[in-house]
Amino acid sequence: MSVTIKSTREIDLMREAGRILAITHEELAKAVRPGISTMDIDRLGEEIIRSYGCIPSFKNYNGYPASICVSVNDEVVHGIPSKKRILQEGDIVSLDAGVIYKGFHSDAARTHAVGEISQEAEKLIEVTRQSFFEGIKYAKPGNHLNDISSAIAAYAEKFGYGVVRDLVGHGIGSHLHEDPEIPNFPQRRKGIKLQAGMTLAIEPMINAGRLDVEWLDDDWTVVTEDGSLSAHYENTILICDDGPEILSMLSSDGKSPSPAFGEKG
């Protein structure tokens, strides 16, 4: 395993890649509504990314045909956009995207409500998001990778949710996927010791039902085996001496976790 420690120059490039991706996600969030096709979302995302002189990380990556992964309801990740797939009131939709800025990648995902959604769906989205923040509390030098993984699962499983095990987060930098793999569930080993300058894409994928998933015939789209809803939340983070910096958010410094989501509600 070869985990890279990024230089100051590389970190600056990744900050800009993350900033542009955060802007992209904010604009896509505004576009999510009943009646829009998943292809329209993909086209808008690519337009925004290219308007900043960047390249979509996912376009043609290992043959993936689009710039934005658009996954609806029971689709966990890697949904392929289509003119025929129209978002409906009550759906939830996960948008996963990446940006290449001057040779360096950012990667982030968000799950959105389409119009009014059920309380159960809303809770799944919020718990998935919060599980990310519970995990990165441990993203500090001297801690181990498994501290992050264990915290994500411990939080999500309190709500009876299934934490996907067939897909994991990853290191990121000059390549979209670098070492280490970052599971969202506990490992037998502690994993690598975290160091300042590491850049990681941490991405809980949480199912309302069981953790089991399967791949559709398109070889890309991953769905829940039991047909339950799934949510996805991801950011690119930098390990700093004083804790994590979230590179793919537009908050003032990216370091403040959201308030814990109560178990009631």
Side-chain angles (χ1 to χ4, degrees):
M1 182 185 297
S2 176
V3 181
T4 60
I5 304 298
K6 306 304 189 293
S7 68
T8 301
R9 172 187 165 272
E10 291 169 336
I11 289 167
D12 286 344
L13 294 175
M14 291 189 69
R15 278 199 184 102
E16 184 62 8
R19 185 185 75 86
I20 292 165
L21 181 54
I23 292 168
T24 302
H25 268 297
E26 289 213 345
E27 292 303 311
L28 290 177
K30 296 173 189 174
V32 169
R33 63 183 185 276
I36 193 171
S37 75
T38 57
M39 178 69 79
D40 288 338
I41 292 172
D42 175 62
R43 285 177 178 159
L44 175 60
E46 182 168 350
E47 280 176 19
I48 297 166
I49 292 167
R50 294 194 186 278
S51 76
Y52 284 91
C54 296
I55 299 167
S57 297
F58 298 175
K59 190 76 176 270
N60 301 317
Y61 182 78
N62 290 337
Y64 185 76
S67 298
I68 314 294
C69 296
V70 187
S71 307
V72 183
N73 293 336
D74 66 334
E75 297 171 355
V76 182
V77 287
H78 306 159
I80 297 175
S82 165
K83 289 180 184 177
K84 296 178 180 178
R85 189 70 185 270
I86 308 297
L87 297 184
Q88 308 290 329
E89 182 89 16
D91 287 341
I92 66 173
V93 59
S94 298
L95 307 180
D96 190 1
V99 160
I100 309 171
Y101 175 76
K102 295 186 178 179
F104 281 81
H105 293 259
S106 57
D107 190 1
R110 308 281 187 265
T111 300
H112 301 288
V114 182
E116 293 291 322
I117 62 172
S118 68
Q119 285 188 339
E120 292 80 6
E122 191 172 338
K123 182 174 177 180
L124 174 67
I125 292 172
E126 289 301 322
V127 168
T128 301
R129 180 181 186 276
Q130 187 60 29
S131 71
F132 164 87
F133 287 102
E134 295 297 319
I136 69 165
K137 288 177 182 178
Y138 297 90
K140 299 175 182 177
N143 285 345
H144 289 82
L145 201 60
N146 195 45
D147 295 328
I148 298 174
S149 302
S150 298
I152 290 170
Y155 184 77
E157 288 174 349
K158 282 196 302 187
F159 298 87
Y161 294 148
V163 179
V164 173
R165 281 162 165 70
D166 289 17
L167 301 145
V168 297
H170 51 92
I172 185 170
S174 59
H175 296 86
L176 178 59
H177 292 105
E178 298 182 354
D179 287 335
E181 290 192 344
I182 307 169
N184 298 304
F185 49 92
Q187 304 294 290
R188 290 184 180 179
R189 301 183 179 217
K190 292 191 292 185
I192 62 164
K193 185 176 283 191
L194 301 174
Q195 299 178 52
M198 290 180 174
T199 46
L200 309 173
I202 296 174
E203 52 178 319
M205 291 155 275
I206 310 295
N207 299 341
R210 298 195 311 271
L211 59 85
D212 309 279
V213 299
E214 58 189 8
W215 273 253
L216 297 185
D217 291 341
D218 62 20
D219 293 329
W220 280 106
T221 309
V222 181
V223 299
T224 59
E225 198 175 83
D226 61 6
S228 63
L229 295 178
S230 188
H232 186 196
Y233 189 83
E234 175 185 20
N235 279 301
T236 299
I237 72 164
L238 167 69
I239 305 293
C240 304
D241 288 328
D242 59 348
E245 178 184 346
I246 302 174
L247 302 182
S248 50
M249 286 183 75
L250 292 177
S251 58
S252 57
D253 62 5
K255 294 184 181 181
S256 300
S258 68
F261 185 75
E263 292 186 52
K264 296 178 181 178

